Amino acid sequence: MSASFAQVLVAREEIETGVSRLGREIAETYRGVPGEVVLVGVLKGSAVFLADLARAIPLDLTIDFISISSYGGDASGSGVVRIVKDLEQDISGKHVVVVEDIVDTGLTLTYLRKTLGARSPATLRTVTLIDKAARRLLPVPLEWRGFEAPDAFLLGYGLDYRGIYRNVPDLIAVPDVARLALHPRSLVEELYPAQ
Ligand code: IMP
């Protein structure tokens, strides 16, 4: 595969090290603090990250999921979002940790913080696997971040392109999205020829 089409940005071993560090940092924040800790995964992108992160946090905690989408169908577009699937539990008085895959413009997280903050959690913090800080349109608090990423389209480790590639174990940067759009099904075979 040509270097300009797609490259491994963060390999699985490095992801594992980063997720372990985040787990330790989150555990240190809440150790000995009264009240329930709830990890809130933002579907679907954060599902893979959350599964690994939750097992790296040596604390009692619960897990819940929320799913949001923009009215245009792309949560990173206008920032006009709605809840597609809400939490199942009442978060009032609990320590909420929003688990994001990527914070890009910050519009999605701003909406989530406003919506969840209105439900009176004891605390509301965010962990993101990827921070695309250079693309931020709205400043938004981020307590923990795994990796800073350049302004390229990313997929793998939960991140998708048109619904596929979430199962790719590394984080892949795709500077040439137009080429991916032409051959969306060829990337995995080209990146992982032996598998
Ligand atoms: P924001 O509202 O612009 O911060 O966008 C956040 C959401 O956009 C993330 O949770 C992702 O679902 C999606 N997103 C942003 N950048 C990428 C990317 O490079 N690959 C896949 N999804 C992305």
Side-chain angles (χ1 to χ4, degrees):
M1 168 167 306
S2 82
S4 62
F5 182 30
Q7 304 107 35
V8 174
L9 182 72
V10 189
R12 62 197 81 178
E13 299 80 8
E14 206 185 333
I15 295 174
E16 195 180 334
T17 305
V19 172
S20 299
R21 170 181 59 81
L22 291 170
R24 282 195 304 275
E25 290 176 8
I26 291 170
E28 278 164 23
T29 301
Y30 298 104
R31 191 168 290 124
V33 174
E36 184 179 325
V37 175
V38 188
L39 300 186
V40 170
V42 186
L43 293 172
K44 300 174 184 166
S46 78
V48 174
F49 174 42
L50 186 143
D52 286 341
L53 179 69
R55 288 176 289 175
I57 303 174
L59 290 178
D60 291 341
L61 52 78
T62 62
I63 294 173
D64 209 335
F65 292 98
I66 194 166
S67 180
I68 57 176
S69 109
S70 77
Y71 287 98
D74 174 3
S76 65
S78 65
V80 181
V81 287
R82 69 191 165 89
I83 294 175
V84 175
K85 181 220 169 288
D86 207 340
L87 300 178
E88 289 176 7
Q89 61 178 280
D90 178 1
I91 56 168
S92 92
K94 299 179 183 176
H95 299 287
V96 173
V97 179
V98 176
V99 181
E100 269 283 19
D101 52 356
I102 292 190
V103 180
D104 186 21
T105 63
L107 295 171
T108 305
L109 184 55
T110 299
Y111 169 81
L112 270 174
R113 285 189 53 87
K114 190 170 162 228
T115 304
L116 298 179
R119 302 180 189 183
S120 309
T123 58
L124 179 58
R125 297 185 174 100
T126 301
V127 56
T128 187
L129 177 70
I130 303 286
D131 183 9
K132 283 190 186 172
R135 284 179 43 87
R136 200 76 87 251
L137 293 178
L138 287 179
V140 63
L142 260 188
E143 283 73 19
W144 303 282
R145 81 201 66 206
F147 303 94
E148 293 252 1
D151 181 11
F153 189 77
L154 306 181
L155 50 81
Y157 198 69
L159 298 168
D160 74 310
Y161 174 73
R162 297 184 181 170
I164 53 177
Y165 306 123
R166 294 190 197 277
N167 57 321
V168 169
D170 307 298
L171 270 165
I172 308 295
V174 185
D176 190 351
V177 181
R179 199 173 140 193
L180 183 65
L182 283 177
H183 307 286
R185 297 257 163 212
S186 62
L187 186 138
V188 170
E189 288 87 342
E190 290 187 43
L191 270 177
Y192 305 100
Q195 294 181 14

